[in-house]
Amino acid sequence: MQRSPATAPTIARLIEAFHRLPGIGPKSAQRLAYHVLRAPRAEAEALAEALLEVKDSTRLCGGCQNITDADPCAICLDPQRSASSICVVEEPLDVAAIERSGVYRGQYHVLHGAISPMDGIGPEDLKVRELLARLGDASVDEVILAMNPNLEGEATAGYLSRVIGAMGVRITRIAHGLPVGADVEYADERTLRAAMTHRVEVEQRDGGG
Amino acid sequence: MPRQRPIRTEAIVLRQRPLGDADRICVLFSPTRGRLEAVAKGVRRPLSKLSGHVQPLTCGRFGLAQGRSLHVITEAVTVESWPSLHDDVDRLTEALAMAELVDRSTDLDAASGPLYQLLRHSLGELAGTASPRAARWWFTLRFLDQQGYRPELDACVRCRAEVKPEGNGYSAADGGVVCPTCQGAGVGLRLSSPAFRLLRYMRRSSCDATAQVRVDADTSAELDRHLRLSMEQALDGQLRSGGFLKSLERAEAIGRSAASAAAEREREEQDRAVV
Ligand SMILES: [Zn+2]
Ligand SMILES: [Zn+2]
């Protein structure tokens, strides 16, 4: 990034640090830096503390590999949750999203990425070995693959089905189709095909008419 | 600066990479303009109308606004999406290998109609074939021809002697088949008779006919090796997607050994419990 001689080196350093964050352009980086500069000292301290704490006190859960403060994490420890199914996701944020939906009460496994053949990212770069170790446990009888419906997700799900299939564990994959609020008219062929293939019965009311 | 006219072209999406929070950069391959990089805005949001039309391994008609460094996709309509390439991981892997070959070879902004036709035709064949691997071999052989690395299959690349099907070798560095005498002198790798016959058959036959040929595992591995070496010669480097192909080949064995390791652990635990 260009550094103007009018910017003090300490501010320039902060701007550069913000600019390195995902989704932050040079303009936003500048705005954030000057916001911190003008904010009360306590606010800046809280930010710095939160940054360091997240680095110092989080680790990966030895079970699900999610990011956690305590190992095993709260989800892995929860006795109310079923141990017989593991939902495999690409990223920690995917766990948070599925949890918000409130429909799933089993275990998770976070791969920390997806297979990307053209970038040379293979299964050995993900938490696949850890998943296979968990599946050896006789109590798991279903693995739900919840990868993104894109090429990397397809490659990952394809690979995992082959490995897990050979272990004799039942595998399902979350359905994909039209998202809520979408237009059928604008949907691409593959989405429509998926939506048609995974269509569901409409509940009929008894004794109508 | 004068406004540049928008680009309208048919193209195949070779690959994508994320850009910022919501966008992706798509690498498009057009018959008239070669390799183009263009931003697909907002395609990582669930309600994107563009998203499904710009997935890798999709052939579509695109409208692009020309930018200084990157174009921006303003319109995309799918022409062919070959769903079966995405439903089956073997097909997907071979399709990615094809796309990577094209991605690695094509010069930016160069018209490459024949290569485009070859890729489009081969993806279509791959989508319908029972033998994804044979479809990739068939594609690779023609790709090498088009790139000026046509493997010589009729005469020894060292001494020009006409070759018979038996006892030959294959030298990717020299560009083709080596006669038994030259192979005996240490040139190239062994080329078995079935692999040699299949290479010759592939050259004169359709993709579909090639896929009908029964090939045993040894011949298959041998052809993979020879064609990979020739490809590396043509590309001056290795294909990244080749690594996933190998992972996939090992996948079932990994699953089986994980299952037996778990069974072993369980037995040990039971034994301990008895003691
Ligand atoms: Zn956990
Ligand atoms: Zn010779």
Side-chain angles (χ1 to χ4, degrees):
Chain A
M1 201 165 68
Q2 271 181 322
R3 194 184 285 186
S4 132
T7 314
T10 42
I11 301 175
R13 188 173 149 218
L14 184 59
I15 294 175
E16 257 179 59
F18 279 128
H19 186 47
R20 251 177 261 130
L21 300 175
I24 305 286
K27 276 266 174 332
S28 310
Q30 226 163 47
R31 257 200 317 276
L32 289 170
Y34 279 96
H35 172 85
V36 172
L37 188 69
R38 290 187 200 111
R41 190 184 163 83
E43 199 177 301
E45 263 170 13
L47 177 66
E49 253 169 50
L51 287 174
L52 289 177
E53 205 178 318
V54 84
K55 289 308 289 178
D56 292 344
S57 65
T58 57
R59 69 202 95 168
L60 298 188
C61 169
C64 67
Q65 306 296 317
N66 200 357
I67 295 164
T68 175
D69 293 335
D71 180 14
C73 73
I75 290 181
C76 284
L77 273 183
D78 187 345
Q80 309 282 13
R81 301 187 74 110
S82 157
S84 67
S85 89
I86 294 182
C87 175
V88 185
V89 298
E90 294 179 13
E91 300 290 348
L93 282 173
D94 300 337
V95 173
I98 297 174
E99 280 301 285
R100 274 198 304 276
S101 75
V103 288
Y104 179 65
R105 295 295 294 160
Q107 303 294 319
Y108 289 97
H109 191 88
V110 183
L111 295 173
H112 292 274
I115 292 172
S116 181
M118 281 171 97
D119 299 307
I121 300 173
E124 61 288 344
D125 301 307
L126 312 174
K127 302 287 180 191
V128 171
R129 216 175 321 119
E130 290 80 354
L131 173 64
L132 301 186
R134 291 177 74 191
L135 293 182
D137 183 351
S139 60
V140 180
D141 55 36
E142 180 183 8
V143 171
I144 303 168
L145 300 177
M147 272 84 250
N148 291 332
N150 57 24
L151 195 120
E152 289 77 19
E154 282 154 8
T156 309
Y159 175 81
L160 289 179
S161 328
R162 197 148 291 178
V163 178
I164 298 166
M167 298 182 76
V169 180
R170 174 173 176 243
I171 311 157
T172 56
R173 186 160 178 206
I174 56 168
H176 42 262
L178 292 170
V180 174
D183 283 311
V184 171
E185 183 189 344
Y186 293 112
D188 63 283
E189 226 176 277
R190 279 179 47 221
T191 300
L192 281 173
R193 193 167 164 269
M196 275 294 180
T197 311
H198 306 295
R199 68 186 186 276
V200 292
E201 202 75 42
V202 175
E203 274 180 51
Q204 305 274 326
R205 270 200 277 177
D206 292 332
Chain B
M1 206 174 77
R3 260 180 72 94
Q4 284 186 294
R5 287 168 50 123
I7 299 172
R8 292 193 174 282
T9 182
E10 184 182 303
I12 293 170
V13 185
L14 296 179
R15 54 182 304 176
Q16 287 187 336
R17 59 177 186 273
L19 175 73
D21 276 344
D23 307 340
R24 280 178 187 275
I25 294 178
C26 300
V27 177
L28 306 177
F29 178 46
S30 144
T32 50
R33 291 172 174 267
R35 194 174 176 282
L36 296 166
E37 299 214 344
V39 180
K41 293 208 160 158
V43 288
R44 289 155 78 198
R45 298 201 178 100
L47 290 184
S48 162
K49 287 169 186 164
L50 214 52
S51 173
H53 300 282
V54 298
Q55 288 293 313
L57 309 175
T58 303
C59 170
R61 273 191 294 277
F62 294 89
L64 310 174
Q66 301 201 49
R68 255 173 307 175
S69 55
L70 279 172
H71 307 310
V72 175
I73 300 178
T74 50
E75 251 180 285
V77 179
T78 300
V79 176
E80 270 181 278
S81 61
W82 304 294
S84 67
L85 296 184
H86 297 263
D87 297 344
D88 174 78
V89 71
D90 288 317
R91 289 202 180 114
L92 181 69
T93 312
E94 304 296 10
L96 286 175
M98 291 181 186
E100 191 185 352
L101 263 178
V102 172
D103 185 32
R104 294 271 295 274
S105 73
T106 316
D107 294 326
L108 218 64
D109 295 329
S112 4
L115 183 54
Y116 180 84
Q117 293 312 327
L118 174 64
L119 179 63
R120 192 173 160 179
H121 174 77
S122 302
L123 289 174
E125 291 286 335
L126 180 59
T129 189
S131 174
R133 187 176 282 209
R136 195 227 320 146
W137 293 333
W138 187 89
F139 168 82
T140 307
L141 203 57
R142 277 154 186 80
F143 173 84
L144 290 169
D145 289 359
Q146 288 196 3
Q147 298 288 302
Y149 288 83
R150 182 185 169 88
E152 170 64 57
L153 298 176
D154 299 317
C156 171
V157 288
R158 278 300 179 92
C159 70
R160 308 308 303 168
E162 199 182 316
V163 291
K164 309 213 162 38
E166 307 291 336
N168 297 310
Y170 186 87
S171 168
D174 294 296
V177 68
V178 186
C179 76
T181 315
C182 294
Q183 152 78 8
V187 179
L189 299 164
R190 206 181 83 85
L191 179 64
S192 71
S193 171
F196 175 71
R197 286 170 200 272
L198 186 56
L199 276 171
R200 282 223 208 177
Y201 180 74
M202 241 191 298
R203 171 157 285 165
R204 59 170 196 270
S205 310
S206 68
C207 184
D208 189 41
T210 300
Q212 308 288 325
V213 181
R214 279 183 177 280
V215 186
D216 63 45
D218 287 346
T219 308
S220 178
E222 189 191 335
L223 267 180
D224 259 348
R225 189 168 57 242
H226 294 318
L227 287 174
R228 177 172 50 77
L229 291 172
S230 283
M231 232 161 48
E232 286 173 8
Q233 203 75 32
L235 294 182
D236 202 14
Q238 293 189 355
L239 277 190
R240 279 186 287 266
S241 55
F244 184 54
L245 203 68
K246 289 205 190 76
S247 298
L248 207 55
E249 279 169 5
R250 287 196 302 259
E252 281 180 22
I254 289 173
R256 277 194 300 271
S257 77
S260 62
E264 181 74 18
R265 268 202 311 276
E266 210 162 310
R267 261 197 307 279
E268 276 171 19
E269 269 164 40
Q270 277 169 356
D271 289 350
R272 258 199 305 272
V274 171
V275 175

